[in-house]
């Protein structure tokens, strides 16, 4: 079955998985004065850093002289000029004509110098590994880390982008017209939103062309990782999964994961658990078995074999993490992956069959991810997996989680991205933190507000599904800080945990949370204050 293939390929390596139990896990309390912060052991599989780095000063963003002390006066003047120009509606409306006129008047050489002194100087670190090194080292001297991000996009017309998107997001069966898509509307390609660049100004967009192009993107990412490793001993590099493979796979896998989670919530509602936070929903296994048997998904004997003390502990209840684990290859449930359609009352398969070529494309995508993660591990670079549109994101998050299971054993190397403008952001963060705690790997995260709000709202309204975005900016702001404070509190009460969080809005503000719960030499309360002021 196709999903069995996905799950088996997903498992880049066999993770060290603790038995999934809904029984509370006792937190180990360290005795006062037992060990120094640097000498504490981390959560199982997550070792404390061997050597403590010299503390960096806490930045008071309310003090502009201190906050901008790494910038020279002329750089601040350039920033003011460039950002004012970028905020001009008239300039933005006619920027192509103005650039063309300036190039014709100055000539190519002077035009290039002007751009490098102004716009490129403001937004671009450099053109190659050597040119970026001075800026990275200068920033590092002031406690500012770097995230290398490849920013070049293809010059496609809206029509070309739309054609590529529709071609790469539909299966062979759908394109041939011999079958209709079983996916929900949100996870189907729609021509009106084929150009994913529309309405997005702060994120790169990749369109699938062929496997060779994906290999080319991978090679570019590898060079970025190598450059980050050479320029700094604690650098970051960012990647996008839509650059590494056919997005059809991301759509189909996202549809599977969403339906499987929704099935859990439907059964939670039947047990009177609707409306609870994700980690508070604990279903009675006996009642759940009865419901699944009545649906005719499998025989009672088979169902009982899924829910055993070995897989669920002895609590007699099951939570969303336990439920999600049931679609792994560790159980026989994968061959029964059907869910009831609440409108028709019919059982439907979770995933349509891949063609042989589509399965190969899926495998290559996962292999490219593995190559990038291994390179990042080899050169000591943290790898950030960027978030993308909500119809891709469930699959992106799950694939990133699988990489974390393999590569985040000793320290956080793979970082997932959480978009706090989403209504389910808090549930996603809390579930992943809890999963990392249960399985003994290091949780790494980047918290952002999000870059696709206008596009997401328009798509949901046009196609007819629930808007996934928080209704107001204030709600997103509250969600952002709720997620941030949850992670900080998790550290505060579990000092042996080792978590790294990279948090940014439009300007990137990175901070590191180590086993001592320190923020650049400050304490936990200073972290929350500084992060708030940075916004």
């Amino acid at each position: 079955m196709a999903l069995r293939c996905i799950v088996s390929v997903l498992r880049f390596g066999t993770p060290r998985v603790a038995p999934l139990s809904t029984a509370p896990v006792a937190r180990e309390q360290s005795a006062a004065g037992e060990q120094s912060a640097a000498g504490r052991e981390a959560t199982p599989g997550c070792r404390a850093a061997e050597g403590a780095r010299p503390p960096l000063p806490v930045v008071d963003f309310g003090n502009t002289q201190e906050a901008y002390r790494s910038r020279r006066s002329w750089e601040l003047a350039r920033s003011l000029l460039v950002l004012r120009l970028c905020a001009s509606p008239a300039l933005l409306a006619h920027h192509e004509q103005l650039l063309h006129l300036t190039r014709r008047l100055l000539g190519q050489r002077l035009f290039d110098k002007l751009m490098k002194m102004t716009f490129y100087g403001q937004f671009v670190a450099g053109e190659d590994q050597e040119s970026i090194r001075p800026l990275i080292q200068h920033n590092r001297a002031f406690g500012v880390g770097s995230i290398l991000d490849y920013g070049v996009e293809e010059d496609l017309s809206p029509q070309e982008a739309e054609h590529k998107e529709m071609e790469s997001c539909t299966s062979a069966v759908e394109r041939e017209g011999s079958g209709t898509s079983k996916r929900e509307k949100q996870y189907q390609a729609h021509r009106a939103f084929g150009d994913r660049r529309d309405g997005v100004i702060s994120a790169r967009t990749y369109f699938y062309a062929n496997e060779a192009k994906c290999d080319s993107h991978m090679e570019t990412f590898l060079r970025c990782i190598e450059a980050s490793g050479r320029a700094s001993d604690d650098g970051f590099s960012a990647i996008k999964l839509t650059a590494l493979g056919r997005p059809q796979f991301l759509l189909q896998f996202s549809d599977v994961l969403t339906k499987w989670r929704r099935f859990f919530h439907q059964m939670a509602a039947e047990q009177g658990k609707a409306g609870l936070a994700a980690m508070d929903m604990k279903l009675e296994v006996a009642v759940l078995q009865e419901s699944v048997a009545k649906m005719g998904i499998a025989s009672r004997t088979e169902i009982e074999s899924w829910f055993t003390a070995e897989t669920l502990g002895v609590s007699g209840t099951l939570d969303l993490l336990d439920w999600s684990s049931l679609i792994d290859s560790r159980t026989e449930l994968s061959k029964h992956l059907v869910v009831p359609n609440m409108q028709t009352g019919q059982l439907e398969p979770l995933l349509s069959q891949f063609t042989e070529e589509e399965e190969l494309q899926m495998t290559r995508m996962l292999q490219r991810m593995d190559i990038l993660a291994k390179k990042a591990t080899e050169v000591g670079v943290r790898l950030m997996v960027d978030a993308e549109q909500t119809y891709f994101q469930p699959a992106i998050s799950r694939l990133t989680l699988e990489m974390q299971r393999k590569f985040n054993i000793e320290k956080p190397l793979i970082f997932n991205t959480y978009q706090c403008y989403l209504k389910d952001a808090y549930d996603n963060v809390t579930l992943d933190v809890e999963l990392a705690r249960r399985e003994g790997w290091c949780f790494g995260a980047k918290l952002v507000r999000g870059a696709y709000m206008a596009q997401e709202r328009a798509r949901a309204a046009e196609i007819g599904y629930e808007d996934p975005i928080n209704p107001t900016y204030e709600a997103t702001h509250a969600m952002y800080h709720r997620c941030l404070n949850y992670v900080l509190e998790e550290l505060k009460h579990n000092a042996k945990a080792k978590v790294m969080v990279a948090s940014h809005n439009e300007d990137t503000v990175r901070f590191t949370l180590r086993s001592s719960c320190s923020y650049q030499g400050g304490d936990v309360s200073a972290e929350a204050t500084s992060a708030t002021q940075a916004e």
Side-chain angles (χ1 to χ4, degrees):
M1 187 173 181
L3 188 62
R4 180 180 292 278
C5 174
I6 293 176
V7 175
S8 63
V9 177
L10 262 174
R11 297 295 181 191
F12 302 111
T14 304
R16 304 183 307 113
V17 181
L20 291 178
S21 171
T22 54
V25 178
R27 288 180 174 150
E28 300 178 28
Q29 302 293 332
S30 56
E34 177 180 296
Q35 303 176 42
S36 66
R40 290 178 182 143
E41 293 181 358
T43 299
C46 193
R47 301 172 190 165
E50 293 181 1
R53 293 182 182 177
L56 295 170
V58 178
V59 178
D60 176 10
F61 288 93
N63 183 336
T64 54
Q65 183 175 3
E66 180 182 335
Y68 293 109
R69 64 194 177 95
S70 66
R71 301 292 91 189
R72 305 173 184 90
S73 297
W74 68 267
E75 289 176 319
L76 292 175
R78 180 185 66 187
S79 297
L80 180 63
L81 171 64
V82 169
L83 295 176
R84 287 282 174 85
L85 290 175
C86 289
S88 168
L91 184 64
L92 292 176
H94 302 93
H95 69 279
E96 290 188 4
Q97 297 95 316
L98 290 171
L99 287 174
H100 179 72
L101 176 62
T102 306
R103 183 184 291 110
R104 192 170 63 180
L105 291 175
L106 297 180
Q108 190 63 47
R109 289 184 61 186
L110 285 178
F111 176 79
D112 288 346
K113 286 187 177 181
L114 176 63
M115 289 296 102
K116 287 182 179 181
M117 291 171 58
T118 54
F119 292 93
Y120 279 80
Q122 173 68 24
F123 296 113
V124 180
E127 300 176 36
D128 51 40
Q129 294 182 20
E130 291 305 316
S131 62
I132 65 175
R133 192 187 301 269
L135 179 60
I136 289 176
Q137 292 176 343
H138 173 78
N139 286 341
R140 181 171 170 73
F142 290 91
V144 179
S146 301
I147 302 173
L148 289 189
D149 213 341
Y150 181 62
V152 177
E153 296 183 3
E154 291 182 271
D155 188 15
L156 298 175
S157 70
Q159 294 76 20
E160 290 172 323
E162 178 187 296
H163 175 74
K164 285 192 172 187
E165 184 74 355
M166 295 303 296
E167 187 74 15
S168 62
C169 286
T170 53
S171 67
V173 173
E174 291 167 349
R175 289 196 304 273
E176 293 165 2
S178 55
T180 57
S181 175
K182 297 290 186 181
R183 284 177 271 150
E184 296 188 1
K185 291 184 289 185
Q186 182 177 356
Y187 300 105
Q188 295 180 31
H190 292 270
R191 191 169 296 278
F193 298 92
D195 187 353
R196 286 183 278 114
R197 301 168 302 182
D198 190 31
V200 178
I201 59 173
S202 58
R204 322 175 299 300
T205 303
Y206 293 94
F207 293 94
Y208 180 82
N210 50 51
E211 293 299 294
K213 189 67 174 179
C214 293
D215 287 335
S216 175
H217 289 150
M218 181 190 72
E219 293 297 331
T220 300
F221 289 147
L222 286 171
R223 289 195 294 273
C224 287
I225 292 170
E226 289 174 348
S228 182
R230 291 174 183 173
S232 170
D233 61 359
D234 64 347
F236 283 92
S237 191
I239 65 171
K240 277 202 163 166
L241 295 198
T242 49
L244 299 178
R246 190 180 184 88
Q248 172 204 344
F249 167 56
L250 297 176
L251 283 173
Q252 288 182 272
F253 196 26
S254 292
D255 186 53
V256 169
L257 296 169
T258 300
K259 284 179 177 176
W260 194 244
R261 180 178 285 201
R262 186 175 298 136
F263 189 14
F264 176 86
H265 284 290
Q266 289 168 356
M267 291 184 290
E270 291 180 5
Q271 295 192 23
K273 305 292 178 65
L276 297 178
M279 285 308 304
D280 294 331
M281 286 187 182
K282 301 187 188 303
L283 307 188
E284 297 296 328
V285 172
V287 178
L288 179 62
Q289 288 175 327
E290 187 68 25
S291 298
V292 174
K294 286 180 179 179
M295 293 174 188
I297 292 177
S299 70
R300 188 174 297 276
T301 302
E302 287 175 316
I303 295 169
E304 289 176 354
S305 71
W306 304 340
F307 308 105
T308 64
E310 182 181 346
T311 56
L312 301 177
V314 295
S315 65
T317 61
L318 170 144
D319 64 17
L320 186 52
L321 291 178
D322 301 326
W323 179 252
S324 298
S325 74
L326 293 176
I327 63 173
D328 289 350
S329 55
R330 293 192 294 269
T331 74
E332 291 298 312
L333 185 62
S334 55
K335 67 180 180 181
H336 298 291
L337 282 169
V338 293
V339 292
N341 184 312
M342 303 310 288
Q343 282 71 44
T344 65
Q346 301 295 314
L347 293 175
E348 296 180 350
L350 273 177
L351 190 62
S352 58
Q353 188 71 33
F354 284 139
T355 66
E356 184 177 349
E357 177 58 28
E358 287 168 345
E359 287 191 359
L360 286 173
Q361 291 170 349
M362 175 194 71
T363 301
R364 293 187 195 114
M365 179 182 187
L366 300 176
Q367 289 171 340
R368 293 181 189 109
M369 293 171 59
D370 196 46
I371 290 170
L372 293 174
K374 286 177 178 175
K375 172 58 73 173
T377 303
E378 176 187 324
V379 299
V381 170
R382 275 76 60 84
L383 197 61
M384 288 180 168
V385 181
D386 283 346
E388 305 193 45
Q389 284 86 351
T390 52
Y391 41 94
F392 295 136
Q393 194 54 40
I396 292 172
S397 292
R398 176 59 186 266
L399 295 173
T400 304
L401 184 149
E402 295 298 334
M403 287 201 295
Q404 290 178 316
R405 278 173 158 159
K406 179 177 181 180
F407 294 99
N408 284 15
I409 301 302
E410 296 186 356
K411 58 183 178 179
L413 285 170
I414 309 299
F415 283 66
N416 206 347
T417 300
Y418 298 88
Q419 299 160 305
C420 294
Y421 66 7
L422 298 181
K423 296 174 182 176
D424 60 358
Y426 182 76
D427 282 347
N428 292 334
V429 170
T430 56
L431 285 167
D432 288 356
V433 168
E434 173 62 14
L435 184 63
R437 186 181 67 84
R438 290 185 187 185
E439 297 184 353
W441 45 269
C442 302
F443 175 80
K446 178 175 69 170
L447 298 181
V448 301
R449 281 177 166 77
Y452 307 100
M453 183 180 71
Q455 186 185 98
E456 294 278 10
R457 286 200 191 285
R459 191 176 189 270
E462 176 72 20
I463 297 172
Y465 57 87
E466 182 184 354
D467 185 353
I469 308 296
N470 288 317
T472 63
Y473 172 79
E474 289 74 20
T476 292
H477 186 74
M479 179 69 79
Y480 180 90
H481 285 281
R482 187 184 182 195
C483 293
L484 180 60
N485 290 333
Y486 170 80
V487 175
L488 296 179
E489 283 299 312
E490 182 71 15
L491 287 174
K492 196 173 181 181
H493 294 97
N494 185 7
K496 292 187 178 183
K498 183 177 179 184
V499 182
M500 301 182 73
V501 180
S503 168
H504 76 71
N505 304 311
E506 288 75 19
D507 297 320
T508 297
V509 181
R510 177 177 66 82
F511 56 89
T512 300
L513 303 174
R514 302 193 184 280
S515 57
S516 57
C517 293
S518 64
Y519 166 61
Q520 309 284 7
D523 57 17
V524 170
S525 61
E527 292 173 5
T529 302
S530 296
T532 302
Q533 292 175 339
E535 295 164 14

